[in-house]
Amino acid sequence: MLRAAVLGSPVAHSLSPVLHSAAYAALGLSEWSYGLREVTEAELGSVVAGLDETWRGLSLTMPLKEVAFEVATTVSDVARDAGAVNTLVRRGDGGWDAHNTDVTGIVRAVEHVGHGGSAVVLGSGATARSAALAVVELGVRDVVVAARNAQAAAEVVDLLARHDVRARHVPLGTWADARPALVVSALAPAASEVVAESAQCADLSGTTLLDVVYADWPTPLARAVTTAGGAVVSGLDMLVHQAAEQFRLFTGHEPPVEVMLAAAREQVGS
């Protein structure tokens, strides 16, 4: 049996087992299994060290995305730039290669959306850094980073500048003033209602929002953007696409994305 799993704390809510297991079934990969395990930052090193050669891949959720650098043998350029690892892939020598598939997930979720060269990123944490790299890959060259934490936002701005993107920080409550064509919200669910207030008096026709949150959809922010004339993309699309890239890295097989998306939608009832 070849094994993979999602690690994090809390992790019981994760849809990753549903997505990966659906892909295994679709491709007849009966030798693969995918589980979940509650693991804290302090435990990650010992847990990874204790995995035998049957373990081929690990999906990492919060709070493990930064401490994972400590257990990695190699780190991809994307993961290093983002300052976040969400994927560990077993090497032939027993070590682990660290990747960030959140960037790919965001790109795939909104690559069909026109952006006119500009975008807004909401937030300043690890997912916001991934969002910043994603919009760079999409060809955006002018980015507004709207966040409460000015110091963390400055790090996102600096990251964008290193990729020759013009970027600036604005207060979180003013994000809608930019009249963006593309918005990626990397905010936690608790912040959605507060940020939604900024959209209530805005004209967001021509704006598309990707909200990385997928639970309890639509979020208050997604509802507000829709009411203001904009379009929304659920975080479920990002989740599936980042999981599909993990599946490719773990198994070497092309992921059945539509099967994974259908499984996700069935699980959340959308």
Side-chain angles (χ1 to χ4, degrees):
M1 183 65 71
L2 303 177
R3 303 180 184 180
V6 58
L7 312 182
S9 182
V11 76
H13 66 285
S14 175
L15 290 182
S16 292
V18 171
L19 303 181
H20 287 263
S21 296
Y24 298 158
L27 298 189
L29 302 180
S30 57
E31 73 276 21
W32 281 84
S33 70
Y34 190 102
L36 57 79
R37 182 169 176 178
E38 188 85 10
V39 176
T40 66
E41 291 174 279
E43 296 169 333
L44 182 63
S46 60
V47 167
V48 171
L51 300 178
D52 64 28
E53 67 278 0
T54 64
W55 285 88
R56 299 304 174 89
L58 299 171
S59 307
L60 305 178
T61 186
M62 297 303 291
L64 305 178
K65 292 186 177 184
E66 296 178 354
V67 71
F69 285 96
E70 299 175 10
V71 302
T73 307
T74 67
V75 178
S76 72
D77 290 342
V78 172
R80 185 176 292 106
D81 264 358
V85 171
N86 77 329
T87 307
L88 291 172
V89 182
R90 175 76 84 174
R91 294 164 52 89
D93 61 6
W96 296 90
D97 292 330
H99 299 266
N100 180 310
T101 68
D102 285 336
V103 175
T104 297
I106 294 169
V107 170
R108 296 287 178 265
V110 296
E111 61 187 352
H112 62 286
V113 175
H115 53 69
S118 63
V120 170
V121 172
L122 303 181
S124 58
T127 305
R129 295 193 297 271
S130 296
L133 292 173
V135 298
V136 169
E137 186 172 334
L138 288 165
V140 170
R141 288 296 175 262
D142 189 349
V143 178
V144 169
V145 179
R148 287 174 175 162
N149 187 326
Q151 181 175 349
E155 295 176 2
V156 181
V157 169
D158 288 345
L159 170 61
L160 288 161
R162 293 199 300 272
H163 287 271
D164 298 321
V165 172
R166 183 174 61 184
R168 64 193 184 280
H169 167 235
V170 301
L172 188 58
T174 66
W175 70 269
D177 296 345
R179 295 290 301 277
L182 175 62
V183 181
V184 181
S185 173
L187 297 170
S192 184
E193 190 165 351
V194 175
V195 180
E197 296 176 2
S198 304
Q200 291 178 353
C201 298
D203 176 9
L204 296 179
S205 55
T207 293
T208 298
L209 163 76
L210 167 63
D211 191 333
V212 301
V213 176
Y214 62 86
D216 300 321
W217 188 262
T219 63
L221 177 58
R223 287 196 299 269
V225 168
T226 301
T227 300
V232 297
V233 177
S234 168
L236 201 64
D237 288 34
M238 171 198 168
L239 179 74
V240 168
H241 284 293
Q242 67 81 26
E245 183 62 18
Q246 289 180 335
F247 177 89
R248 180 184 288 109
L249 290 168
F250 294 165
T251 69
H253 291 277
E254 190 67 21
V257 176
E258 291 304 320
V259 169
M260 298 172 78
L261 186 57
R265 287 173 175 165
E266 181 179 359
Q267 188 70 18
V268 301
S270 66

